[in-house]
Amino acid sequence: MTTGFCLSIAIPLHNEEDVLPELLRRTRLVLDQIAGGPHEIVFVDDGSTDRTFLILEEAVKQDSRIRVISLSRNFGHQAAITAALDHVTGEAAVVMDGDLQDAPEVIPQFVEKFQQGYDVVYARRIRRKESWPLRICYFVFYRMMTKLSDIRLPLDSGDFGLMSRRVVDHVKRMPEHHRYLRGMRSWVGFRQTGLTVERAERRSGKSKYSVMRLMKLAADGIFAFSIVPIRAAALFGGFVILLSSLYVLYALYAKIFLQRSPQGFTALLVTVTFLSGVVLFFLGVIGEYVGRIYEETKARPQYIIGRIVGHLRTETERYTNQKTPPVSSSKAESIE
């Protein structure tokens, strides 16, 4: 391992008091096993209402590697990750959830790949422990997202993964509010690879991602990296016009040559109702894009910091103990 290598671990938290002691123990143990340093763990308390922040305050007193950023309210998971990435200072940063479904013990494998020259190392999830309907939804979504996206997105990969310093810096320069980190890091490019990781069961408590939040995250991913839904409206409109033209030709043929007019009030009613629903559906799709444009034009901050505990290092301090430059590939290659 390169002398002076500094690793940052970014962890967003929201009401994780039950799992936090075990998370701290396992994460600190993993950092102890990684050569180099000084490493850091940047926790972002995303408006917790339990004892999460108090536990983190005590942890800062016991370990100088821990920094805690408390947001003024709950801004959401992706905003909390953004806050963490804005304050990490390592040559590489690992993003992981705080519910221990992302095992800290995988981090050394990420670091090993980073030392081989990869800028992004993501976890490819297998054998998820969620209920089977949710597993099916995840399976379908990732494959649909890959087909719709304008960039190549790795299958079955979440936010858990490592990014080099230059990837983090590029992600930080992306100003959008509806963020989809796993897509953003793919968009940046450079050398990327995946590691097969078994998705652990949540250790305690309930997931903060409700069905509606999962749907919102899925929508953010689709609308942020694809304009296929809008194109689908035009294609469907063209298809309907074609069918209408064919029906007009049939009606003229029946009237002129067969001496009868096509009838069917029920069919007409069903057709009008169906097309009205289609129009409203695509108006909603267009509205999603327009709404996101509206959100971006307001230019509000993605999060507001309420309090910071622990010393956040500056860029100058980041290189104080570094004897060699950060290890990172200079070649831009496709995702593996």
Side-chain angles (χ1 to χ4, degrees):
M1 176 115 7
T2 305
T3 304
F5 167 76
C6 172
L7 177 69
S8 300
I9 302 179
I11 306 178
L13 297 170
H14 179 64
N15 292 340
E16 298 289 0
E17 64 175 354
D18 294 333
V19 73
L20 189 51
E22 180 66 10
L23 172 66
L24 284 165
R25 184 189 69 81
R26 289 170 59 179
T27 306
R28 292 160 68 181
L29 183 61
V30 167
L31 281 188
D32 291 339
Q33 299 170 355
I34 297 177
H39 306 305
E40 64 178 1
I41 311 175
V42 178
F43 288 100
V44 175
D45 178 22
D46 188 23
S48 297
T49 56
D50 60 2
R51 297 183 62 255
T52 295
F53 184 73
L54 297 178
I55 296 175
L56 291 174
E57 278 189 311
E58 290 299 319
V60 170
K61 298 176 182 178
Q62 300 171 10
D63 194 331
S64 61
R65 297 174 297 182
I66 297 176
R67 298 86 163 86
V68 180
I69 300 170
S70 177
L71 303 186
S72 62
R73 63 171 177 85
N74 179 244
F75 285 88
H77 181 256
Q78 295 294 301
I81 292 178
T82 300
L85 292 179
D86 284 346
H87 293 87
V88 296
T89 59
E91 278 64 71
V94 172
V95 175
M96 60 178 289
D97 288 340
D99 54 10
L100 287 179
Q101 286 189 285
D102 297 334
E105 290 75 17
V106 179
I107 293 177
Q109 299 178 46
F110 289 160
V111 173
E112 182 178 353
K113 288 291 185 180
F114 171 72
Q115 292 296 320
Q116 294 174 9
Y118 290 97
D119 284 275
V120 174
V121 187
Y122 54 84
R124 187 182 296 113
R125 299 163 172 175
I126 60 170
R127 292 191 291 274
R128 307 178 72 110
K129 302 301 188 295
E130 291 91 351
S131 60
W132 67 265
L134 195 57
R135 292 201 303 270
I136 292 176
C137 290
Y138 281 127
F139 180 86
V140 172
F141 166 73
Y142 282 119
R143 281 144 189 84
M144 180 182 69
M145 184 68 194
T146 300
K147 294 295 184 181
L148 294 178
S149 177
D150 298 327
I151 61 173
R152 183 183 175 188
L153 297 176
L155 291 175
D156 302 317
S157 66
D159 296 323
F160 187 31
L162 176 146
M163 294 180 287
S164 68
R165 181 75 243 171
R166 63 176 174 176
V167 173
V168 171
D169 289 340
H170 284 300
V171 169
K172 286 168 61 176
R173 283 195 285 268
M174 298 182 189
E176 56 256 44
H177 284 65
H178 296 273
R179 303 176 74 80
Y180 188 68
L181 177 64
R182 60 203 74 173
M184 295 165 70
R185 72 186 179 199
S186 295
W187 182 90
V188 170
F190 301 120
R191 295 191 68 195
Q192 305 196 11
T193 189
L195 289 177
T196 300
V197 175
E198 184 171 351
R199 179 71 164 168
E201 187 176 4
R202 183 178 175 84
R203 188 173 182 86
S204 64
K206 296 182 179 180
S207 173
K208 307 307 181 296
Y209 266 109
S210 62
V211 175
M212 291 303 298
R213 285 197 172 189
L214 286 173
M215 292 179 63
K216 180 182 181 300
L217 180 63
D220 288 341
I222 292 173
F223 292 121
F225 292 95
S226 176
I227 60 172
V228 171
I230 289 183
R231 289 175 177 168
L235 291 174
F236 186 83
F239 178 70
V240 170
I241 291 173
L242 176 62
L243 289 181
S244 301
S245 301
L246 293 176
Y247 184 77
V248 168
L249 294 175
Y250 165 73
L252 291 174
Y253 173 81
K255 181 66 175 178
I256 297 173
F257 297 99
L258 303 179
Q259 301 300 317
R260 63 183 175 84
S261 299
Q263 299 180 6
F265 178 78
T266 302
L268 178 62
L269 182 62
V270 170
T271 301
V272 170
T273 305
F274 172 74
L275 292 179
S276 298
V278 170
V279 169
L280 290 175
F281 173 78
F282 282 113
L283 280 176
V285 170
I286 296 172
E288 286 290 335
Y289 284 99
V290 174
R292 280 163 169 74
I293 295 173
Y294 170 68
E295 291 290 335
E296 297 298 334
T297 58
K298 289 189 291 188
R300 293 175 181 172
Q302 297 168 15
Y303 60 86
I304 297 175
I305 296 177
R307 187 178 175 188
I308 295 177
V309 180
H311 175 62
L312 294 178
R313 290 182 297 180
T314 64
E315 289 295 310
T316 301
E317 292 172 317
R318 177 161 67 93
Y319 290 104
T320 300
N321 297 318
Q322 185 180 344
K323 299 179 181 179
T324 59
V327 176
S328 184
S329 171
S330 59
K331 298 181 179 179
E333 298 186 9
S334 60
I335 301 174
E336 295 187 357

